[in-house]
Amino acid sequence: MTELQINTVISSLYEAVKDASLWPSVLEKLGDCFGGAAAGFTIEDYTSHHTRVAIAVRLDPTSIKQYAGYYHTLDLFTQRCSQRLQTSCRPLASHMYLSDRELSRSEYFNDFLLKQSLFYSMSALVNLEPKRAAFVTLLRSKEAGPFEESERDGLSLFLPHLTRAFRLHTRLASLRASYEAMNSLCDALVLLGPAGKVVFANAAATRIFAQKDGIELAAKGIVVA
């Protein structure tokens, strides 16, 4: 992993905060730092006990759907390392908690991972909330070998930035959803700042202001005739 690769991934992370369509590209760059590994964000919901793939690259789209429908219940990586990661400040490689023999004999490997030529994984906790946790996971073939200590160190370099970017992305997504909800209201909605200036007016309010029939929007705020 070169310094250029590290800087490129970190720079791309913060670009993706502003433009969500860039996240797959970020994950591809991250995977390239570890030998072209498949990469993804998974969200584990502690209420429903369901793990879903939020974003992934170099994984078969059909398999991702199958994971959501069934194979998340057999995911030995998540089952074995989820709790460990919550008390660890470093990424964990799958060979640290799961033997090759046990994985090779599992339904999860033979019916899911094998079809995609995947065997080893490395995961790190990106965000932890009372009801859910987010992880970044890298996967590669058995031929590529298990993720080594130096690669755990490498992923650790990205963790502060991954965490910050993920949290900023989540907050912005929430704000955008709130904006869209307020803008779709049939009733006029106006939000004022401390000085009385309009900081937000939804579409219904904007139409009323445009009529200028007794109430309108000026530089100093809302004015009435």
Side-chain angles (χ1 to χ4, degrees):
M1 183 166 56
T2 66
E3 185 176 348
L4 176 60
Q5 284 179 307
I6 294 172
N7 292 334
T8 299
V9 171
I10 292 173
S11 175
S12 299
L13 271 170
Y14 294 109
E15 290 297 320
V17 171
K18 297 179 288 184
D19 184 354
S21 67
L22 297 177
W23 278 110
S25 176
V26 173
L27 287 174
E28 286 183 350
K29 292 181 175 69
L30 183 64
D32 289 341
C33 292
F34 300 92
F41 285 112
T42 56
I43 310 295
E44 185 177 3
D45 189 315
Y46 296 133
T47 303
S48 63
H49 303 290
H50 186 279
T51 301
R52 65 180 178 88
V53 178
I55 309 171
V57 295
R58 297 169 182 158
L59 290 174
D60 177 31
T62 301
S63 294
I64 293 175
K65 292 180 180 178
Q66 292 173 341
Y67 181 91
Y70 174 65
Y71 288 106
H72 72 275
T73 63
L74 305 177
D75 187 345
L76 293 175
F77 297 147
T78 300
Q79 292 171 9
R80 298 291 178 85
C81 79
S82 176
Q83 294 299 318
R84 289 180 174 89
L85 283 173
Q86 292 182 35
T87 57
S88 173
C89 59
R90 301 195 65 224
L92 291 177
S94 57
H95 71 277
M96 299 171 63
Y97 56 81
L98 181 64
S99 70
D100 289 4
R101 177 181 172 81
E102 185 177 2
L103 179 60
S104 297
R105 298 175 66 179
S106 69
E107 180 183 353
Y108 182 60
F109 169 72
N110 287 287
D111 289 356
F112 182 75
L113 294 176
L114 183 59
K115 295 176 181 178
Q116 303 177 80
S117 299
L118 299 173
F119 193 87
Y120 293 110
S121 81
M122 177 170 62
S123 301
L125 180 68
V126 173
N127 191 46
L128 180 63
E129 299 174 12
K131 294 184 178 180
R132 67 175 189 167
F135 305 91
V136 60
T137 298
L138 300 166
L139 302 119
R140 66 189 184 196
S141 68
K142 189 172 186 179
E143 291 69 28
F147 288 92
E148 300 176 356
E149 190 72 12
S150 60
E151 292 176 301
R152 292 176 65 207
D153 292 337
L155 185 54
S156 293
L157 289 175
F158 296 114
L159 269 184
H161 302 285
L162 282 164
T163 297
R164 181 175 173 80
F166 184 88
R167 289 176 178 173
L168 287 171
H169 170 78
T170 301
R171 290 174 186 172
L172 283 176
S174 178
L175 287 172
R176 291 190 185 103
S178 298
Y179 171 84
E180 292 173 1
M182 291 188 295
N183 210 38
S184 64
L185 291 173
C186 295
D187 296 323
L189 175 65
V190 180
L191 303 182
L192 304 177
K197 290 188 176 181
V198 175
V199 295
F200 172 79
N202 70 354
T206 301
R207 288 193 294 270
I208 292 174
F209 290 142
Q211 294 172 7
K212 297 183 179 181
D213 63 349
I215 184 171
E216 59 184 283
L217 185 61
K220 61 182 181 181
I222 298 174
V223 296
V224 294

